[in-house]
Amino acid sequence: MRAEPTRAEAILWSFLRGRSLGVRFRRQVPIGQYIADFACLSHRLIVEIDGLTHDLPGRYEYDQRRDRWFRSRGWTIIRTNDDDVWSHRDDVMSHIVTALANLEDDSY
């Protein structure tokens, strides 16, 4: 686990922390053999921020395997990148809010 969040993680965490969306998110959450950047356990929603390391060879395949593992266990994954968090954070937040609403609807 990283001791210090990336700039994008810090920005997104400032919007997710403290139940600001009406649900609790946790940061750097161990789930199975993986660590999710952010997770809302009650809605089984994971938010991943992809930085430059996700452009390295083999990383796409690793991320795909990881996402399949999460999905096979009932998790929904939202992936965004650093640039979107910095430049389009309202869109990122809207996507998260919509996902939470859809997951809440599915639970009834």
Side-chain angles (χ1 to χ4, degrees):
M1 286 176 26
R2 271 181 294 220
E4 292 294 319
T6 66
R7 179 176 164 227
E9 287 174 340
I11 290 169
L12 188 57
W13 183 237
S14 72
F15 287 96
L16 296 177
R17 68 190 303 165
R19 295 183 185 263
S20 62
L21 299 179
V23 295
R24 180 174 184 234
F25 273 89
R26 294 175 51 199
R27 185 181 158 283
Q28 295 293 304
V29 183
I31 302 173
Q33 65 198 35
Y34 301 107
I35 297 175
D37 289 339
F38 304 96
C40 175
L41 302 180
S42 64
H43 287 65
R44 299 187 69 77
L45 175 65
I46 293 171
V47 180
E48 290 289 312
I49 302 176
D50 295 342
L52 294 175
T53 60
H54 291 267
D55 294 334
L56 296 174
R59 186 59 194 222
Y60 176 80
E61 292 79 11
Y62 172 82
D63 287 341
Q64 292 299 307
R65 265 193 320 275
R66 187 175 184 267
D67 288 356
R68 277 193 305 273
W69 187 89
F70 284 132
R71 286 188 184 102
S72 74
R73 284 149 181 86
W75 291 89
T76 298
I77 301 103
I78 292 176
R79 285 194 169 274
T80 188
N81 62 49
D82 290 340
D83 292 336
D84 286 339
V85 173
W86 298 329
S87 304
H88 307 286
R89 72 186 69 143
D90 289 344
D91 294 337
V92 171
M93 292 305 298
S94 177
H95 189 184
I96 294 169
V97 167
T98 299
L100 287 168
N102 288 340
L103 291 167
E104 193 167 277
D105 290 344
D106 289 346
S107 67
Y108 294 105

Short mmCIF file of all heavy atoms in Angstrom, two decimals, residues 39-80:
data_model
loop_
_atom_site.label_atom_id
_atom_site.label_comp_id
_atom_site.label_asym_id
_atom_site.label_seq_id
_atom_site.Cartn_x
_atom_site.Cartn_y
_atom_site.Cartn_z
N ALA A 39 -13.17 2.06 -2.17
CA ALA A 39 -14.26 1.10 -2.22
C ALA A 39 -15.38 1.54 -1.30
O ALA A 39 -15.14 2.01 -0.19
CB ALA A 39 -13.79 -0.29 -1.82
N CYS A 40 -16.60 1.39 -1.79
CA CYS A 40 -17.81 1.54 -0.98
C CYS A 40 -18.31 0.12 -0.74
O CYS A 40 -18.84 -0.52 -1.64
CB CYS A 40 -18.85 2.37 -1.73
SG CYS A 40 -20.41 2.49 -0.86
N LEU A 41 -18.08 -0.36 0.46
CA LEU A 41 -18.40 -1.75 0.77
C LEU A 41 -19.90 -2.02 0.71
O LEU A 41 -20.31 -3.08 0.25
CB LEU A 41 -17.84 -2.12 2.15
CG LEU A 41 -16.32 -1.96 2.32
CD1 LEU A 41 -15.90 -2.36 3.72
CD2 LEU A 41 -15.55 -2.71 1.27
N SER A 42 -20.71 -1.05 1.17
CA SER A 42 -22.16 -1.28 1.21
C SER A 42 -22.76 -1.47 -0.18
O SER A 42 -23.75 -2.17 -0.34
CB SER A 42 -22.86 -0.13 1.93
OG SER A 42 -22.69 1.09 1.21
N HIS A 43 -22.16 -0.86 -1.20
CA HIS A 43 -22.68 -0.95 -2.56
C HIS A 43 -21.79 -1.81 -3.46
O HIS A 43 -22.07 -1.95 -4.65
CB HIS A 43 -22.81 0.45 -3.17
CG HIS A 43 -23.95 1.23 -2.62
ND1 HIS A 43 -24.02 1.64 -1.30
CD2 HIS A 43 -25.09 1.67 -3.20
CE1 HIS A 43 -25.13 2.32 -1.10
NE2 HIS A 43 -25.81 2.33 -2.24
N ARG A 44 -20.71 -2.34 -2.89
CA ARG A 44 -19.75 -3.16 -3.63
C ARG A 44 -19.26 -2.44 -4.88
O ARG A 44 -19.25 -3.00 -5.99
CB ARG A 44 -20.33 -4.54 -3.94
CG ARG A 44 -20.68 -5.31 -2.67
CD ARG A 44 -21.11 -6.71 -2.87
NE ARG A 44 -20.08 -7.61 -3.33
CZ ARG A 44 -19.10 -8.14 -2.57
NH1 ARG A 44 -19.02 -7.83 -1.29
NH2 ARG A 44 -18.22 -8.99 -3.09
N LEU A 45 -18.86 -1.18 -4.68
CA LEU A 45 -18.37 -0.34 -5.77
C LEU A 45 -16.90 0.00 -5.51
O LEU A 45 -16.54 0.45 -4.43
CB LEU A 45 -19.17 0.96 -5.85
CG LEU A 45 -18.69 1.98 -6.88
CD1 LEU A 45 -18.84 1.44 -8.31
CD2 LEU A 45 -19.44 3.29 -6.72
N ILE A 46 -16.08 -0.24 -6.52
CA ILE A 46 -14.66 0.09 -6.48
C ILE A 46 -14.39 1.20 -7.47
O ILE A 46 -14.89 1.16 -8.61
CB ILE A 46 -13.80 -1.15 -6.84
CG1 ILE A 46 -13.94 -2.21 -5.76
CG2 ILE A 46 -12.34 -0.76 -7.07
CD1 ILE A 46 -13.32 -3.54 -6.13
N VAL A 47 -13.61 2.19 -7.05
CA VAL A 47 -13.18 3.26 -7.94
C VAL A 47 -11.66 3.18 -8.04
O VAL A 47 -10.97 3.25 -7.03
CB VAL A 47 -13.61 4.65 -7.44
CG1 VAL A 47 -13.14 5.74 -8.39
CG2 VAL A 47 -15.13 4.72 -7.24
N GLU A 48 -11.17 3.02 -9.25
CA GLU A 48 -9.74 2.93 -9.52
C GLU A 48 -9.29 4.14 -10.33
O GLU A 48 -9.97 4.53 -11.28
CB GLU A 48 -9.43 1.66 -10.32
CG GLU A 48 -9.59 0.38 -9.55
CD GLU A 48 -8.49 0.23 -8.51
OE1 GLU A 48 -7.31 0.40 -8.83
OE2 GLU A 48 -8.85 -0.07 -7.36
N ILE A 49 -8.17 4.71 -9.93
CA ILE A 49 -7.58 5.81 -10.69
C ILE A 49 -6.31 5.27 -11.35
O ILE A 49 -5.38 4.85 -10.66
CB ILE A 49 -7.24 7.00 -9.78
CG1 ILE A 49 -8.48 7.50 -9.07
CG2 ILE A 49 -6.60 8.11 -10.60
CD1 ILE A 49 -8.21 8.61 -8.08
N ASP A 50 -6.30 5.31 -12.66
CA ASP A 50 -5.16 4.80 -13.41
C ASP A 50 -4.19 5.93 -13.73
O ASP A 50 -4.54 6.89 -14.42
CB ASP A 50 -5.61 4.13 -14.71
CG ASP A 50 -6.45 2.90 -14.47
OD1 ASP A 50 -6.42 2.36 -13.34
OD2 ASP A 50 -7.14 2.47 -15.41
N GLY A 51 -2.99 5.79 -13.21
CA GLY A 51 -1.92 6.75 -13.49
C GLY A 51 -1.02 6.24 -14.61
O GLY A 51 -1.36 5.30 -15.34
N LEU A 52 0.15 6.83 -14.71
CA LEU A 52 1.09 6.48 -15.78
C LEU A 52 1.55 5.04 -15.72
O LEU A 52 1.86 4.44 -16.74
CB LEU A 52 2.30 7.42 -15.73
CG LEU A 52 2.02 8.89 -16.05
CD1 LEU A 52 3.28 9.72 -15.86
CD2 LEU A 52 1.48 9.03 -17.47
N THR A 53 1.59 4.44 -14.53
CA THR A 53 2.05 3.05 -14.43
C THR A 53 1.13 2.09 -15.17
O THR A 53 1.55 1.00 -15.53
CB THR A 53 2.17 2.60 -12.96
OG1 THR A 53 0.87 2.69 -12.34
CG2 THR A 53 3.17 3.44 -12.19
N HIS A 54 -0.08 2.51 -15.43
CA HIS A 54 -1.02 1.63 -16.14
C HIS A 54 -0.72 1.56 -17.64
O HIS A 54 -1.34 0.78 -18.35
CB HIS A 54 -2.46 2.06 -15.87
CG HIS A 54 -2.86 1.81 -14.46
ND1 HIS A 54 -3.48 0.66 -14.06
CD2 HIS A 54 -2.68 2.55 -13.34
CE1 HIS A 54 -3.68 0.70 -12.76
NE2 HIS A 54 -3.19 1.83 -12.30
N ASP A 55 0.24 2.38 -18.09
CA ASP A 55 0.67 2.33 -19.49
C ASP A 55 1.84 1.39 -19.70
O ASP A 55 2.28 1.18 -20.83
CB ASP A 55 1.07 3.73 -19.98
CG ASP A 55 -0.12 4.69 -20.03
OD1 ASP A 55 -1.26 4.20 -20.17
OD2 ASP A 55 0.10 5.91 -19.93
N LEU A 56 2.37 0.81 -18.63
CA LEU A 56 3.52 -0.09 -18.74
C LEU A 56 3.11 -1.40 -19.41
O LEU A 56 1.96 -1.83 -19.30
CB LEU A 56 4.10 -0.38 -17.35
CG LEU A 56 4.69 0.82 -16.61
CD1 LEU A 56 5.08 0.42 -15.19
CD2 LEU A 56 5.89 1.38 -17.37
N PRO A 57 4.06 -2.06 -20.09
CA PRO A 57 3.75 -3.34 -20.75
C PRO A 57 3.19 -4.36 -19.75
O PRO A 57 3.69 -4.48 -18.63
CB PRO A 57 5.12 -3.80 -21.27
CG PRO A 57 5.95 -2.55 -21.37
CD PRO A 57 5.44 -1.64 -20.28
N GLY A 58 2.14 -5.04 -20.17
CA GLY A 58 1.53 -6.07 -19.34
C GLY A 58 0.53 -5.55 -18.32
O GLY A 58 -0.23 -6.32 -17.74
N ARG A 59 0.50 -4.26 -18.11
CA ARG A 59 -0.38 -3.71 -17.08
C ARG A 59 -1.85 -3.82 -17.47
O ARG A 59 -2.71 -4.09 -16.63
CB ARG A 59 0.00 -2.26 -16.77
CG ARG A 59 -0.75 -1.65 -15.62
CD ARG A 59 -0.50 -2.46 -14.36
NE ARG A 59 -1.45 -2.08 -13.35
CZ ARG A 59 -1.14 -1.91 -12.08
NH1 ARG A 59 0.08 -2.07 -11.67
NH2 ARG A 59 -2.07 -1.58 -11.23
N TYR A 60 -2.17 -3.61 -18.75
CA TYR A 60 -3.55 -3.70 -19.20
C TYR A 60 -4.11 -5.09 -18.92
O TYR A 60 -5.21 -5.23 -18.40
CB TYR A 60 -3.66 -3.36 -20.69
CG TYR A 60 -5.05 -3.54 -21.24
CD1 TYR A 60 -6.01 -2.56 -21.02
CD2 TYR A 60 -5.43 -4.69 -21.92
CE1 TYR A 60 -7.31 -2.71 -21.50
CE2 TYR A 60 -6.71 -4.86 -22.39
CZ TYR A 60 -7.65 -3.87 -22.19
OH TYR A 60 -8.93 -4.04 -22.64
N GLU A 61 -3.32 -6.12 -19.24
CA GLU A 61 -3.75 -7.49 -19.01
C GLU A 61 -3.95 -7.75 -17.51
O GLU A 61 -4.90 -8.41 -17.10
CB GLU A 61 -2.75 -8.49 -19.60
CG GLU A 61 -2.69 -8.47 -21.11
CD GLU A 61 -1.88 -7.31 -21.69
OE1 GLU A 61 -1.15 -6.60 -20.93
OE2 GLU A 61 -1.99 -7.09 -22.91
N TYR A 62 -3.03 -7.24 -16.70
CA TYR A 62 -3.14 -7.40 -15.25
C TYR A 62 -4.43 -6.74 -14.75
O TYR A 62 -5.19 -7.33 -13.97
CB TYR A 62 -1.92 -6.80 -14.55
CG TYR A 62 -2.06 -6.75 -13.05
CD1 TYR A 62 -1.79 -7.87 -12.27
CD2 TYR A 62 -2.49 -5.58 -12.41
CE1 TYR A 62 -1.93 -7.83 -10.89
CE2 TYR A 62 -2.64 -5.54 -11.04
CZ TYR A 62 -2.35 -6.66 -10.28
OH TYR A 62 -2.50 -6.61 -8.92
N ASP A 63 -4.68 -5.51 -15.21
CA ASP A 63 -5.89 -4.80 -14.79
C ASP A 63 -7.15 -5.55 -15.21
O ASP A 63 -8.13 -5.62 -14.45
CB ASP A 63 -5.92 -3.38 -15.36
CG ASP A 63 -4.93 -2.43 -14.69
OD1 ASP A 63 -4.47 -2.74 -13.57
OD2 ASP A 63 -4.62 -1.40 -15.30
N GLN A 64 -7.14 -6.14 -16.40
CA GLN A 64 -8.29 -6.90 -16.88
C GLN A 64 -8.54 -8.14 -16.01
O GLN A 64 -9.67 -8.43 -15.65
CB GLN A 64 -8.10 -7.31 -18.34
CG GLN A 64 -8.13 -6.15 -19.30
CD GLN A 64 -9.45 -5.42 -19.27
OE1 GLN A 64 -10.50 -6.01 -19.42
NE2 GLN A 64 -9.39 -4.11 -19.05
N ARG A 65 -7.47 -8.86 -15.67
CA ARG A 65 -7.60 -10.03 -14.78
C ARG A 65 -8.14 -9.61 -13.42
O ARG A 65 -9.03 -10.26 -12.86
CB ARG A 65 -6.23 -10.70 -14.57
CG ARG A 65 -5.91 -11.82 -15.46
CD ARG A 65 -4.69 -12.61 -15.02
NE ARG A 65 -3.58 -11.84 -14.51
CZ ARG A 65 -2.64 -11.27 -15.24
NH1 ARG A 65 -2.67 -11.39 -16.56
NH2 ARG A 65 -1.66 -10.61 -14.69
N ARG A 66 -7.60 -8.55 -12.91
CA ARG A 66 -8.02 -8.02 -11.60
C ARG A 66 -9.49 -7.64 -11.62
O ARG A 66 -10.25 -8.00 -10.72
CB ARG A 66 -7.13 -6.81 -11.30
CG ARG A 66 -7.26 -6.20 -9.97
CD ARG A 66 -6.17 -5.11 -9.90
NE ARG A 66 -6.16 -4.52 -8.61
CZ ARG A 66 -6.84 -3.45 -8.27
NH1 ARG A 66 -7.60 -2.85 -9.16
NH2 ARG A 66 -6.77 -2.97 -7.05
N ASP A 67 -9.91 -6.92 -12.66
CA ASP A 67 -11.31 -6.51 -12.77
C ASP A 67 -12.24 -7.72 -12.89
O ASP A 67 -13.32 -7.74 -12.30
CB ASP A 67 -11.52 -5.57 -13.96
CG ASP A 67 -10.93 -4.18 -13.74
OD1 ASP A 67 -10.42 -3.91 -12.63
OD2 ASP A 67 -10.97 -3.36 -14.68
N ARG A 68 -11.83 -8.72 -13.67
CA ARG A 68 -12.64 -9.94 -13.78
C ARG A 68 -12.79 -10.61 -12.42
O ARG A 68 -13.87 -11.09 -12.07
CB ARG A 68 -12.01 -10.92 -14.78
CG ARG A 68 -12.34 -10.65 -16.21
CD ARG A 68 -11.97 -11.79 -17.13
NE ARG A 68 -10.57 -12.18 -17.03
CZ ARG A 68 -9.57 -11.63 -17.72
NH1 ARG A 68 -9.82 -10.68 -18.58
NH2 ARG A 68 -8.34 -12.07 -17.55
N TRP A 69 -11.71 -10.65 -11.65
CA TRP A 69 -11.76 -11.25 -10.32
C TRP A 69 -12.76 -10.50 -9.44
O TRP A 69 -13.60 -11.11 -8.79
CB TRP A 69 -10.36 -11.25 -9.68
CG TRP A 69 -10.31 -11.99 -8.39
CD1 TRP A 69 -10.05 -13.32 -8.21
CD2 TRP A 69 -10.55 -11.45 -7.08
NE1 TRP A 69 -10.11 -13.64 -6.88
CE2 TRP A 69 -10.41 -12.51 -6.15
CE3 TRP A 69 -10.86 -10.18 -6.59
CZ2 TRP A 69 -10.57 -12.34 -4.79
CZ3 TRP A 69 -11.02 -10.01 -5.23
CH2 TRP A 69 -10.89 -11.08 -4.34
N PHE A 70 -12.69 -9.16 -9.43
CA PHE A 70 -13.63 -8.37 -8.64
C PHE A 70 -15.07 -8.61 -9.10
O PHE A 70 -15.97 -8.85 -8.29
CB PHE A 70 -13.32 -6.87 -8.73
CG PHE A 70 -12.14 -6.42 -7.92
CD1 PHE A 70 -11.17 -5.61 -8.48
CD2 PHE A 70 -12.00 -6.76 -6.58
CE1 PHE A 70 -10.09 -5.17 -7.74
CE2 PHE A 70 -10.93 -6.31 -5.82
CZ PHE A 70 -9.96 -5.52 -6.41
N ARG A 71 -15.30 -8.55 -10.40
CA ARG A 71 -16.66 -8.73 -10.93
C ARG A 71 -17.22 -10.11 -10.60
O ARG A 71 -18.40 -10.24 -10.31
CB ARG A 71 -16.67 -8.49 -12.44
CG ARG A 71 -16.56 -7.03 -12.79
CD ARG A 71 -16.77 -6.79 -14.28
NE ARG A 71 -16.57 -5.39 -14.57
CZ ARG A 71 -15.48 -4.89 -15.12
NH1 ARG A 71 -14.49 -5.69 -15.49
NH2 ARG A 71 -15.36 -3.60 -15.33
N SER A 72 -16.36 -11.11 -10.64
CA SER A 72 -16.83 -12.46 -10.33
C SER A 72 -17.26 -12.60 -8.88
O SER A 72 -17.95 -13.55 -8.52
CB SER A 72 -15.74 -13.50 -10.66
OG SER A 72 -14.71 -13.47 -9.69
N ARG A 73 -16.90 -11.64 -8.07
CA ARG A 73 -17.28 -11.64 -6.66
C ARG A 73 -18.30 -10.55 -6.34
O ARG A 73 -18.50 -10.18 -5.20
CB ARG A 73 -16.04 -11.50 -5.79
CG ARG A 73 -15.28 -12.83 -5.73
CD ARG A 73 -13.80 -12.67 -5.58
NE ARG A 73 -13.16 -13.98 -5.55
CZ ARG A 73 -12.80 -14.66 -6.64
NH1 ARG A 73 -13.05 -14.18 -7.84
NH2 ARG A 73 -12.20 -15.84 -6.53
N GLY A 74 -18.95 -10.03 -7.40
CA GLY A 74 -20.06 -9.11 -7.20
C GLY A 74 -19.71 -7.64 -7.09
O GLY A 74 -20.57 -6.83 -6.75
N TRP A 75 -18.48 -7.27 -7.43
CA TRP A 75 -18.09 -5.86 -7.36
C TRP A 75 -18.31 -5.19 -8.70
O TRP A 75 -18.18 -5.80 -9.75
CB TRP A 75 -16.62 -5.73 -6.98
CG TRP A 75 -16.33 -6.11 -5.57
CD1 TRP A 75 -16.01 -7.36 -5.11
CD2 TRP A 75 -16.37 -5.26 -4.44
NE1 TRP A 75 -15.84 -7.32 -3.75
CE2 TRP A 75 -16.04 -6.04 -3.30
CE3 TRP A 75 -16.63 -3.91 -4.26
CZ2 TRP A 75 -15.98 -5.52 -2.03
CZ3 TRP A 75 -16.56 -3.38 -2.98
CH2 TRP A 75 -16.24 -4.17 -1.88
N THR A 76 -18.63 -3.89 -8.65
CA THR A 76 -18.67 -3.04 -9.84
C THR A 76 -17.43 -2.17 -9.78
O THR A 76 -17.07 -1.66 -8.72
CB THR A 76 -19.94 -2.16 -9.83
OG1 THR A 76 -21.08 -3.01 -9.86
CG2 THR A 76 -19.97 -1.20 -11.00
N ILE A 77 -16.77 -1.99 -10.93
CA ILE A 77 -15.54 -1.21 -10.97
C ILE A 77 -15.71 -0.02 -11.88
O ILE A 77 -16.21 -0.15 -13.00
CB ILE A 77 -14.35 -2.05 -11.47
CG1 ILE A 77 -14.12 -3.26 -10.58
CG2 ILE A 77 -13.07 -1.23 -11.52
CD1 ILE A 77 -14.62 -4.51 -11.18
N ILE A 78 -15.32 1.14 -11.37
CA ILE A 78 -15.23 2.34 -12.19
C ILE A 78 -13.74 2.64 -12.33
O ILE A 78 -13.03 2.72 -11.34
CB ILE A 78 -15.93 3.54 -11.52
CG1 ILE A 78 -17.42 3.33 -11.47
CG2 ILE A 78 -15.57 4.84 -12.24
CD1 ILE A 78 -18.17 4.43 -10.73
N ARG A 79 -13.29 2.78 -13.56
CA ARG A 79 -11.90 3.17 -13.81
C ARG A 79 -11.89 4.55 -14.42
O ARG A 79 -12.66 4.86 -15.33
CB ARG A 79 -11.22 2.20 -14.78
CG ARG A 79 -10.86 0.90 -14.14
CD ARG A 79 -9.90 0.10 -15.01
NE ARG A 79 -9.40 -0.99 -14.22
CZ ARG A 79 -8.37 -0.92 -13.39
NH1 ARG A 79 -7.69 0.19 -13.29
NH2 ARG A 79 -8.01 -1.97 -12.69
N THR A 80 -11.01 5.38 -13.92
CA THR A 80 -10.80 6.70 -14.46
C THR A 80 -9.30 6.92 -14.47
O THR A 80 -8.55 6.11 -13.95
CB THR A 80 -11.56 7.77 -13.66
OG1 THR A 80 -11.47 9.02 -14.33
CG2 THR A 80 -11.02 7.91 -12.25
#
